[in-house]
Amino acid sequence: MNSKKIIILAFILVTLVQIYVPAKIILDRAIVLRSGKEFKFKTAPIDPSDPFRGKYINLNFNENTVEIQNKENWTNGETVFVLLATDSNGFAKIRSVSKVKPLDNQDFLKAKVDFIIYDGSKLSIEYPFERFYMEESKAYDAELTYNRTLRDTSQLTYALVNIKNGESVLKDVMINGIPIREIVKQEQQNRK
């Protein structure tokens, strides 16, 4: 084979790989969204602005700690499997945390150890869906809306997350059952 054919073949292979990788990521997320089980995680958000990543709402979760027996068994940043259940109000709660991926049909989520609480009795979990990215024109208004709802204890904020085989996709952020995008859109229309 001459060098021109090798270059063309290499170009085609590189192009196919560049198409395959993002397509696989998108397809995997779509599968989790379509067939994963939906969980509601109560939130307490903070909204920073990161010029390299765009605008997002940084989500803190009420249910992100679990009691542990021996703090020496855990390391900050290590991957763990969080076994989930739902409480009587339909919100996600942690049943337990394991270093081993569950084999049966339990609802679980792959996450990381954020840190061990100072007295060593609890483990803080870092979820893979702690940032909710928004369209640039709506992010600031979403921040204001969230800050307003945090001051009002009658408001209920939560993240809708689909989970399948340990993988998760943050579907939406809700205030009193309404998606934040819809609330912001309505507020922007009302100001016009």
Side-chain angles (χ1 to χ4, degrees):
M1 221 188 279
N2 66 29
S3 64
K4 189 174 184 179
K5 287 183 181 181
I6 292 172
I7 291 171
I8 291 173
L9 183 59
F11 175 76
I12 290 170
L13 287 173
V14 168
T15 302
L16 289 174
V17 167
Q18 288 179 342
I19 292 171
Y20 172 78
V21 171
K24 174 84 168 103
I25 292 169
I26 292 168
L27 180 63
D28 288 347
R29 290 178 57 85
I31 289 170
V32 171
L33 280 171
R34 189 173 353 106
S35 60
K37 184 173 179 179
E38 188 173 88
F39 284 88
K40 298 187 299 188
F41 288 80
K42 282 188 182 178
T43 61
I46 301 168
D47 188 8
S49 176
D50 184 338
F52 299 106
R53 295 191 176 129
K55 291 282 192 169
Y56 59 88
I57 297 172
N58 190 32
L59 302 172
N60 293 325
F61 296 95
N62 290 346
E63 185 70 24
N64 68 346
T65 59
V66 64
E67 289 189 23
I68 56 174
Q69 298 299 320
N70 189 348
K71 69 179 183 179
E72 286 76 28
N73 291 341
W74 305 95
T75 307
N76 293 352
E78 83 176 299
T79 298
V80 293
F81 300 95
V82 180
L83 281 75
L84 299 170
T86 52
D87 66 16
S88 60
N89 294 319
F91 290 98
K93 67 178 190 173
I94 299 174
R95 281 192 1 228
S96 65
V97 176
S98 172
K99 292 183 178 195
V100 180
K101 183 177 179 179
L103 297 176
D104 52 6
N105 289 333
Q106 298 181 65
D107 294 320
F108 71 95
L109 166 67
K110 188 165 74 171
K112 292 194 180 291
V113 173
D114 193 12
F115 59 89
I116 299 161
I117 306 231
Y118 69 92
D119 67 356
S121 66
K122 290 187 178 184
L123 193 69
S124 178
I125 303 297
E126 179 185 330
Y127 293 117
F129 45 81
E130 292 184 347
R131 290 182 177 170
F132 184 64
Y133 288 88
M134 297 195 65
E135 180 185 329
E136 191 81 22
S137 66
K138 292 182 174 75
Y140 180 72
D141 290 336
E143 174 184 3
L144 296 177
T145 300
Y146 250 123
N147 287 336
R148 200 171 50 247
T149 61
L150 287 175
R151 289 187 295 271
D152 183 353
T153 57
S154 68
Q155 303 286 329
L156 179 63
T157 62
Y158 58 93
L160 280 181
V161 180
N162 281 40
I163 298 172
K164 182 175 183 176
N165 298 326
E167 299 301 318
S168 62
V169 176
L170 176 55
K171 187 176 182 177
D172 217 332
V173 174
M174 312 290 278
I175 299 175
N176 296 325
I178 302 170
I180 185 82
R181 287 184 180 106
E182 288 182 24
I183 294 170
V184 170
K185 181 179 177 183
Q186 186 64 44
E187 288 175 354
Q188 288 176 338
Q189 287 175 349
N190 290 344
R191 283 195 302 259
K192 289 183 181 179

